[in-house]
Amino acid sequence: LAAGARHYGAELYYPATVTGLSSRSDGTWDVETPNGVIRANRIVNCAGFWAREIGDMIGLEHPLIPVHHQYVITTTVPEVKSLKEELPVLRDLEGSYYLRQERDGLLFGPYEDQEKMKIQESWLTDGVPPGFGKELFESDLDRIMDNVENAMEMVPVLKKAEIINIISGPITYTPDILPMAGPHQGVRNYWVAIGFGYGIIHAGGIGKYLSDWIIGGEPDFDLIELDPNRYGKWTTTKFSIEKARESYGFNNAVGYPKEERFGGRPTERVSGIYEPLKDKASMGFHAGWEQPHWFYKPGDDTGYRPSFRRTNWFEPVGRECKHVMEKVGVFDLTPFGKFTVKGKDSTKLLDHLIANVVPKVGYINISHMITPRGRVYAEVTISHMSEEEFLLVTGSGSELHDLRYIEEEAANGGYAVDIRNVTDEIGVLGVAGPFARKVLQKLTATDLSGKAFKFLQCKPITVADIPLTAMRISYTGELGWELYHKRHDTAALYNAIMDSGQEFGIDNFGAYAMNSLRLEKAFRGWGAEMNCDTNAFEAGLDYFIKLNKPTEFIGKQALINIKKEGVRRKLVYLTMQTDNVDPEGNESIWYDNKVVGNTTSGAYSYNTQQSLAFAYVPVELSKIGQQLEVELLNKKYNAIIVQEPLVLTEPTRTRIKKKSETSSV
């Protein structure tokens, strides 16, 4: 690696201990070493188990936990030596270990359960000992004996093999095991490649990924799972330790759809109604937040029941969907990422960032930030609050991912704006369903009629004596409002809404129902139907892309070229009849005995009594009526491409009804 780097012009300095890091006003860095200061356009923290200490130098506490990992090496095993080809790597999920060939012997590494695994906690408080390099920890065979016995049962030749070495060394774990790779929010031109629990095997791939991104201005492919900005201030050391223990113990566990892991929860990120709701609902974890997935009723099988098939949540979620469609429901949307953008250049900045037009004062729109190559970097809801003030809302998992990009563009372009992350300051309640207007009208003097408060309008109003911003929008596609308020007012606002809604049969609903309802309306979701692997036109975002607006927004020329050349694949809308299983996303699409695409997300449509999914397929297979197959749990189900949506949105239904009434008159 070093020789190759030098060949292409890199200069390497080592040993060169970094003693300090200083950011400069122009975004460059001074890297302080005992041999002098190095000026750098950007820095990349790839310091392994020293990465926490590099972060500390600039005020960042990276959630990295040093774990003792042991592996065992045997002497020559005759049966292995006689092989003509190298053994494939074996991972035994039930036995919780990996095994591979090591010369003429075997190497196997266990992952003991969370009660037995060991964390080097002194490194978290005192740092890595000076001079620590290739040293090892003291091994402890007793700690991994259960795993060793499992390996011997699976690979009997191990019973006769002689152990020549037990290695115990440090690896770093993030709370969810996955590494952190990419630019870091809050610090200009600071990148990371840290938390790689599996070591040097990732070096070549991640090095190319980051260098391509740095040189080209965007990643070659989407690795949102590794985004360092998935963690935030809520990721405390205590939380990270508990999650590292849990994740290490689950390293070889079977993963389920809609999987939840409960270590370290709840964090400080709980809304004002978490306490009264936590025993009434199955809670999900979203960027540190607790959010209801579905609600219990008497007689329901409660709790978390992971399964690859429909499980205890299936009927209750159908009940919630029916309630929102026929009556009125309330959903805690507090986990949304929320930013304010203010200042004389605020409109100019947003016009540069988004492919849609900037909404007028008092209105909302859905907008997309496009990469230079025409990929979809983000989807945000933009509310134009006043002449020089906007509120941007994004999904909980995209909070710092989107904020970093906005801040970077603002700094690079020299825009006179003030950008604030107000996610933790503002609570959000969604009220949706045919009686939503009647419930809220009882609590406010503001006229909420269709003429006075139109779809996609936002207004400062008072509800139950609580000042807030009301937005007439709902991801359910039904009549609804999102109510943005000070987080300390959430409980009072929720109680007032529930009291007001009693005569209309108001009830709670959760994220699973929301997902089913949004899919029925054919609403796309960022991270599923669109991301940095998809361009805006293949994702079917034409309505939101305004190529005729004068501004040369980021990615405009790329989109013009893509539209001219045409796309090779398209997002389609599928329905299918299954048996006790529904698509979730990333399932294979088959045609003529070949895999031709994949689903992006899916659910059961309770309103139409069938499974549905979005999927990417080649253009030639994207016409309505096209027959395909979707593979679920090793079985192929017949599917058909249908016109979207399955269920019209409430504004569309209302418009059609008015048009029909006018025609009849």
Side-chain angles (χ1 to χ4, degrees), residues 74-86:
T74 74
T75 57
T76 296
V77 176
E79 293 86 346
V80 175
K81 186 175 182 179
S82 66
L83 294 173
K84 294 181 180 179
E85 295 182 356
E86 185 176 355

Side-chain angles (χ1 to χ4, degrees), residues 498-558:
M498 295 303 283
D499 289 343
S500 173
Q502 289 306 302
E503 65 175 292
F504 305 106
I506 197 168
D507 210 344
N508 298 293
F509 70 101
Y512 289 177
M514 174 80 85
N515 188 54
S516 176
L517 292 167
R518 72 96 180 171
L519 279 163
E520 289 179 338
K521 307 302 194 305
F523 292 165
R524 279 94 170 127
W526 192 88
E529 283 69 58
M530 50 185 150
N531 56 26
C532 288
D533 284 334
T534 59
N535 70 59
F537 292 126
E538 63 189 10
L541 299 177
D542 308 53
Y543 176 81
F544 305 98
I545 306 299
K546 310 301 184 186
L547 295 179
N548 59 348
K549 80 173 189 177
T551 305
E552 283 295 319
F553 61 85
I554 300 172
K556 182 176 183 178
Q557 192 55 53

Side-chain angles (χ1 to χ4, degrees), residues 346-649:
S346 54
T347 299
K348 187 178 177 183
L349 169 64
L350 293 178
D351 205 26
H352 168 70
L353 281 170
I354 63 171
N356 205 342
V357 295
V358 176
K360 295 184 293 185
V361 174
Y363 283 84
I364 310 163
N365 73 13
I366 308 297
S367 294
H368 300 85
M369 292 188 280
I370 307 298
T371 72
R373 290 190 299 160
R375 308 299 178 91
V376 186
Y377 186 86
E379 179 180 77
V380 292
T381 302
I382 299 179
S383 300
H384 200 158
M385 312 297 286
S386 61
E387 195 60 41
E388 295 182 353
E389 180 180 357
F390 296 84
L391 177 65
L392 275 59
V393 178
T394 187
S396 56
S398 306
E399 176 194 344
L400 300 182
H401 168 271
D402 294 1
L403 180 60
R404 184 206 66 80
Y405 189 73
I406 296 167
E407 289 175 335
E408 181 182 82
E409 288 301 322
N412 291 343
Y415 292 93
V417 293
D418 175 55
I419 301 167
R420 287 190 61 235
N421 185 359
V422 294
T423 300
D424 291 336
E425 300 172 25
I426 296 179
V428 190
L429 293 179
V431 184
F435 294 130
R437 179 179 283 117
K438 291 183 178 180
V439 170
L440 294 176
Q441 191 64 80
K442 290 172 60 179
L443 300 171
T444 183
T446 303
D447 186 354
L448 301 182
S449 66
K451 288 185 178 180
F453 206 136
K454 296 181 176 64
F455 179 55
L456 295 180
Q457 272 193 304
C458 59
K459 295 182 181 183
I461 69 172
T462 299
V463 175
D465 296 323
I466 296 170
L468 52 80
T469 296
M471 302 182 187
R472 196 179 150 195
I473 191 172
S474 175
Y475 202 34
T476 65
E478 294 304 304
L479 174 66
W481 279 263
E482 292 176 0
L483 307 176
Y484 292 74
H485 55 276
K486 293 294 184 184
R487 198 166 145 201
H488 59 74
D489 287 328
T490 300
L493 180 61
Y494 171 82
N495 291 333
I497 292 170
M498 295 303 283
D499 289 343
S500 173
Q502 289 306 302
E503 65 175 292
F504 305 106
I506 197 168
D507 210 344
N508 298 293
F509 70 101
Y512 289 177
M514 174 80 85
N515 188 54
S516 176
L517 292 167
R518 72 96 180 171
L519 279 163
E520 289 179 338
K521 307 302 194 305
F523 292 165
R524 279 94 170 127
W526 192 88
E529 283 69 58
M530 50 185 150
N531 56 26
C532 288
D533 284 334
T534 59
N535 70 59
F537 292 126
E538 63 189 10
L541 299 177
D542 308 53
Y543 176 81
F544 305 98
I545 306 299
K546 310 301 184 186
L547 295 179
N548 59 348
K549 80 173 189 177
T551 305
E552 283 295 319
F553 61 85
I554 300 172
K556 182 176 183 178
Q557 192 55 53
L559 290 179
I560 290 172
N561 293 338
I562 291 169
K563 190 167 187 178
K564 181 180 178 182
E565 296 169 6
V567 297
R568 297 180 180 179
R569 63 172 191 163
K570 287 189 70 175
L571 188 71
V572 297
Y573 198 52
L574 298 170
T575 60
M576 67 204 80
Q577 293 294 338
T578 64
D579 46 16
N580 198 33
V581 61
D582 298 294
E584 295 275 345
N586 291 321
E587 293 97 359
S588 295
I589 304 293
W590 289 77
Y591 178 76
D592 195 21
N593 294 318
K594 295 178 182 177
V595 174
V596 294
N598 64 279
T599 61
T600 55
S601 61
Y604 185 74
S605 167
Y606 294 91
N607 282 298
T608 66
Q609 299 290 295
Q610 59 191 327
S611 295
L612 73 159
F614 275 119
Y616 277 105
V617 297
V619 170
E620 60 270 22
L621 296 176
S622 66
K623 291 184 174 59
I624 292 172
Q626 175 69 55
Q627 301 277 346
L628 300 165
E629 293 177 306
V630 178
E631 184 178 353
L632 304 173
L633 298 181
N634 205 34
K635 180 178 178 180
K636 296 173 186 173
Y637 294 89
N638 292 329
I640 186 170
I641 298 176
V642 298
Q643 179 68 50
E644 58 182 75
L646 281 180
V647 180
L648 295 174
T649 64

Side-chain angles (χ1 to χ4, degrees), residues 172-219:
T172 55
Y173 258 39
T174 64
D176 63 6
I177 299 182
L178 295 175
M180 300 166 65
H184 203 289
Q185 187 273 329
V187 189
R188 287 182 71 188
N189 294 320
Y190 175 71
W191 296 60
V192 297
I194 57 180
F196 288 85
Y198 304 111
I200 199 170
I201 191 170
H202 293 123
I206 211 67
K208 185 176 189 308
Y209 172 73
L210 290 182
S211 59
D212 287 347
W213 190 347
I214 290 170
I215 294 169
E218 64 179 287

Side-chain angles (χ1 to χ4, degrees), residues 136-153:
L136 297 171
F137 299 133
E138 184 177 346
S139 60
D140 183 358
L141 186 59
D142 290 341
R143 204 168 75 232
I144 59 174
M145 204 60 214
D146 290 344
N147 309 84
V148 171
E149 290 174 357
N150 289 333
M152 288 178 174
E153 287 299 313

